[in-house]
Amino acid sequence: MPKGRGSRIDSGAPELRPGGSATRKKPDRLRRAADQLDQAAAADDKAAGRFAEARVDSTPFGISAQARELAARWSAALAAREADARVLGDATSDLAGRLRMAAGTTSGSGFRRRIAVAP
């Protein structure tokens, strides 16, 4: 293949050659990405906890049938957002674990622990 625009063959960039600096940097980049994903997973857990607290601590809207229906819908919406945040957090944590495995290490903050929240 001729050296042309976009061609990486015979390029002068050492990081693009086999065994170049890009292969040495890859595990570090994967570990940093996994750490950032762990932070995102922790934020998801925090959000899920806040949704759970809001659902438990929400004040009644009133005694009318319309108020009770509104309160039930609000509670259901909060429960759905809590579940979404937990699923997202779990998937994010799993991805962080996979990145660590690809980097060849399981050190660092590793897999996150579950945070107990009110039902």
Side-chain angles (χ1 to χ4, degrees):
M1 180 175 188
K3 284 184 5 181
R5 237 176 28 174
S7 174
R8 293 183 178 178
I9 297 176
D10 295 327
S11 75
E15 65 272 5
L16 299 178
R17 287 190 219 130
S21 62
T23 57
R24 289 189 297 269
K25 292 180 184 177
K26 185 177 179 180
D28 293 335
R29 291 178 71 190
L30 290 174
R31 284 185 205 103
R32 282 194 308 271
D35 289 342
Q36 290 174 341
L37 286 171
D38 281 336
Q39 291 173 0
D44 292 334
D45 273 344
K46 189 174 183 178
R50 286 185 177 168
F51 286 126
E53 288 173 11
R55 193 167 40 106
V56 171
D57 296 338
S58 61
T59 58
F61 287 87
I63 58 171
S64 70
Q66 293 167 334
R68 286 191 305 267
E69 181 181 342
L70 179 61
R73 286 183 181 189
W74 179 250
S75 181
L78 289 172
R81 296 299 76 78
E82 176 189 357
D84 290 344
R86 291 202 186 286
V87 168
L88 181 60
D90 289 345
T92 303
S93 181
D94 290 346
L95 182 57
R98 289 180 184 183
L99 286 177
R100 281 203 174 75
M101 288 172 50
T105 182
T106 56
S107 64
S109 54
F111 294 99
R112 65 194 173 112
R113 294 180 193 93
R114 273 287 192 198
I115 297 175
V117 294

